[in-house]
Amino acid sequence: MWKSHLSRRQWLRQSLGAAAALPLSRLNIWPSYPATETKPTGIAPPTSQYVFSSADDALLDDLESSCFAYFLEQTNPTTGIIKDRCNVRADDKGELGSIAATGFGLTALCIGEKRGYIPRAVAQARVLGTLRFLWNKLPNHRGFFYHWANINSGERLWDSEVSSVDTAILLCGVLTCGQHFEHPEISDLARLIFDRVDWNWLSEDTLILPHGWTPESGFLQYRWDDYSEMMMMYLLGLGSPSHPLPPDAWNAWKRTTFEYDGIRYIGSFAPLFVHQYSQAWFDFRGKRDRYADYFQNSVIATDVHRRFCIDLATQFPDYSDDLWGISASDSPEGYVAWGGPPATGPIDGTIVPCAAAGSLPFLPGAVMRVLRTIKSQYAGSAWSRYGLVDAFNPLTKWFDHDVIGIDLGITLVMVENARSAFVWNTFMKSPDARRGMERAGLKPYQPSATGQVPPSKPATTDPSS
């Protein structure tokens, strides 16, 4: 299978041109510029603490420990750089590392130590080795790291860009380790790595941050100007004690209101992962700024995506309440940035497990139905030694032979947050994280108790038939 080394964002930009010709179905869109307050409708009050059954807890522990094994094994323990992906059906010798996967890997070491998957001394040694390499050896520009790196040497690969958002994901892992291990050198290295990042350089001529920079051509032309996974990047920049972004940077990006089936929420023309990534570390629960409660916005956006998949069941009968979820992933033709609403990419009935699994804190009951279905009906093909394969299609009997680090990472982190809130609680001990949210105007509030989650849309087909 051909694999691309373009970023998700590059794939998304290429696919949007084709998506523009697709019908929007029951979707309406209203541009919302920065100065406009967005008032989503249909948003529920904070979800009460979901109680997982003993069987569900066992399934989730199996999933977490399998995902953790990827981050423990698919790396060079000297550099700590995590592989971007690996073939779980073969002896994978790839050397392409991802700094975003490394950020998830650092967080995974905290989860693994807490869960007893790895002794504390071993996890601590891995973290120290990684942070020393990041500080002393991994090539960077003004504290920002290159998107792709050789796992053995740290050498820049594929002429990749210095990536703003991938550096942000890495920094979230760095700060999580600094808070969890309470080790003097780990704390010092986390501080040095974070303080080295020059957010002022990135925002020198604009409040809208660029996607990245290359030594060959300078700043990339694309900017983080719409709601997406970039919230973590702005919050980290706002929280920096050494090179902080101006507070107005948080207000500069657009929050566009989408409506599907009469339900309004802030969204973008992008797959479901944009509603997950920032919330893997930053705890948005019970907070809002003048625009939105972003946790509840992700709850409603995830439910809208579930409904969207079920509405596609007339075309692709594998989609149902028991099996849904489309996000950027592998396909038989390569990597595809697909999802919706609106329908983006050549949707063909493929299931992307991390779309649901990475949404477990938002819709725990609905997501558990999906995970139970995959485990019971597709365990032999869709469940690997590293957890869920990146994608599979029950209609064509295609099952990916690869897993992808960031997709396993969002699964692991969000499952742990749904079970214990451990990553949220640990990361939010960081004064930089708290400062970022405060400077963005994100404040605790008491949501209305009158809101209701829209009633569950029944499956249009019986997946067992």
Side-chain angles (χ1 to χ4, degrees):
M1 182 190 299
W2 173 79
K3 300 297 182 189
S4 168
H5 298 291
L6 297 175
S7 70
R8 290 189 170 189
R9 277 288 150 187
Q10 290 169 311
W11 266 111
L12 186 57
R13 289 193 295 269
Q14 291 180 9
S15 66
L16 281 179
L22 295 172
L24 295 186
S25 183
R26 298 201 293 275
L27 182 80
N28 294 312
I29 304 164
W30 295 273
S32 177
Y33 295 94
T36 304
E37 181 176 5
T38 303
K39 296 181 179 179
T41 61
I43 290 182
T47 51
S48 58
Q49 184 64 43
Y50 186 87
V51 179
F52 295 102
S53 69
S54 57
D56 287 345
D57 208 49
L59 185 156
L60 294 175
D61 199 67
D62 183 15
L63 180 57
E64 282 199 71
S65 61
S66 299
C67 291
F68 172 77
Y70 176 88
F71 295 103
L72 186 66
E73 297 171 7
Q74 296 302 317
T75 182
N76 180 320
T78 301
T79 68
I81 299 175
I82 305 293
K83 277 188 184 181
D84 174 58
R85 62 164 67 230
C86 89
N87 185 330
V88 293
R89 314 295 183 200
D91 184 15
D92 191 300
K93 301 295 186 182
E95 296 182 339
L96 181 71
S98 156
I99 62 163
T102 303
F104 278 113
L106 287 168
T107 308
L109 288 168
C110 300
I111 295 171
E113 190 279 327
K114 182 246 185 190
R115 286 279 170 191
Y117 305 150
I118 185 173
R120 186 176 182 87
V122 177
Q124 189 167 279
R126 281 286 187 99
V127 170
L128 272 171
T130 304
L131 297 188
R132 287 168 181 163
F133 191 82
L134 293 177
W135 175 246
N136 293 309
K137 296 183 179 180
L138 187 64
N140 71 90
H141 184 76
R142 295 179 181 259
F144 292 91
F145 294 97
Y146 289 97
H147 192 152
W148 309 114
N150 184 289
I151 64 169
N152 299 314
S153 66
E155 175 191 3
R156 174 195 183 197
L157 295 179
W158 297 96
D159 294 327
S160 60
E161 81 285 9
V162 166
S163 173
S164 52
V165 76
D166 292 274
T167 295
I169 294 171
L170 177 60
L171 293 174
C172 285
V174 168
L175 292 179
T176 303
C177 288
Q179 295 303 314
H180 176 66
F181 286 99
E182 299 179 335
H183 179 281
E185 188 179 358
I186 290 177
S187 298
D188 288 346
L189 286 168
R191 168 56 51 206
L192 290 167
I193 293 166
F194 185 73
D195 286 354
R196 181 172 60 182
V197 179
D198 190 350
W199 301 97
N200 301 138
W201 165 75
L202 195 65
S203 61
E204 183 175 350
D205 63 348
T206 177
L207 294 176
I208 303 295
L209 303 181
H211 283 204
W213 175 91
T214 68
E216 295 81 14
S217 58
F219 286 113
L220 304 185
Q221 62 176 306
Y222 301 105
R223 303 275 173 160
W224 293 104
D225 58 354
D226 286 288
Y227 168 86
S228 68
E229 73 274 26
M230 55 71 187
M231 288 197 298
M232 71 175 85
M233 179 177 58
Y234 281 90
L235 292 173
L236 289 171
L238 288 169
S240 170
S242 57
H243 306 285
L245 291 174
D248 283 347
W250 183 253
N251 301 314
W253 46 273
K254 296 190 293 291
R255 295 148 171 90
T256 302
T257 301
F258 286 65
E259 181 178 320
Y260 186 85
D261 240 1
I263 306 166
R264 292 188 183 186
Y265 62 100
I266 296 171
S268 59
F269 293 94
L272 190 61
F273 74 84
V274 302
H275 296 285
Q276 301 171 345
Y277 273 48
S278 292
Q279 309 225 25
W281 290 277
F282 283 95
D283 188 358
F284 287 89
R285 295 174 301 166
K287 302 182 185 74
R288 65 165 295 144
D289 61 8
R290 60 176 166 144
Y291 306 107
D293 174 333
Y294 296 100
F295 183 86
Q296 290 306 121
N297 188 72
S298 288
V299 170
I300 205 68
T302 304
D303 191 59
V304 162
H305 177 76
R306 181 188 66 83
R307 290 162 172 259
F308 165 77
C309 291
I310 293 171
D311 285 340
L312 291 174
T314 54
Q315 298 171 261
F316 309 109
D318 59 321
Y319 293 144
S320 71
D321 256 339
D322 293 316
L323 199 61
W324 55 267
I326 315 165
S327 191
S329 75
D330 283 347
S331 78
E333 306 304 320
Y335 197 78
V336 184
W338 47 14
T344 302
I347 295 172
D348 63 357
T350 291
I351 297 295
V352 183
C354 68
S359 302
L360 188 62
F362 307 135
L363 292 181
V367 169
M368 284 310 307
R369 288 183 67 167
V370 175
L371 295 179
R372 289 187 213 110
T373 299
I374 297 175
K375 185 68 170 177
S376 64
Q377 297 186 23
Y378 305 102
S381 302
W383 203 289
S384 76
R385 72 180 188 273
Y386 293 140
L388 298 161
V389 297
D390 198 58
F392 67 98
N393 191 323
L395 302 179
T396 64
K397 310 303 181 186
W398 171 78
F399 292 86
D400 199 2
H401 51 58
D402 276 16
V403 293
I404 296 179
I406 56 177
D407 291 343
L408 294 178
I410 195 63
T411 296
L412 172 61
V413 172
M414 292 301 253
V415 168
E416 184 59 45
N417 276 331
R419 296 176 74 191
S420 71
F422 167 72
V423 178
W424 285 330
N425 292 340
T426 303
F427 179 76
M428 292 307 300
K429 292 177 184 176
S430 165
D432 307 301
R434 296 196 304 272
R435 186 186 307 114
M437 296 193 91
E438 290 166 1
R439 295 189 75 215
L442 286 156
K443 301 176 181 178
Y445 83 110
Q446 184 60 47
S448 169
T450 60
Q452 294 183 344
V453 174
S456 176
K457 177 185 288 292
T460 55
T461 60
D462 182 354
S464 65
S465 60

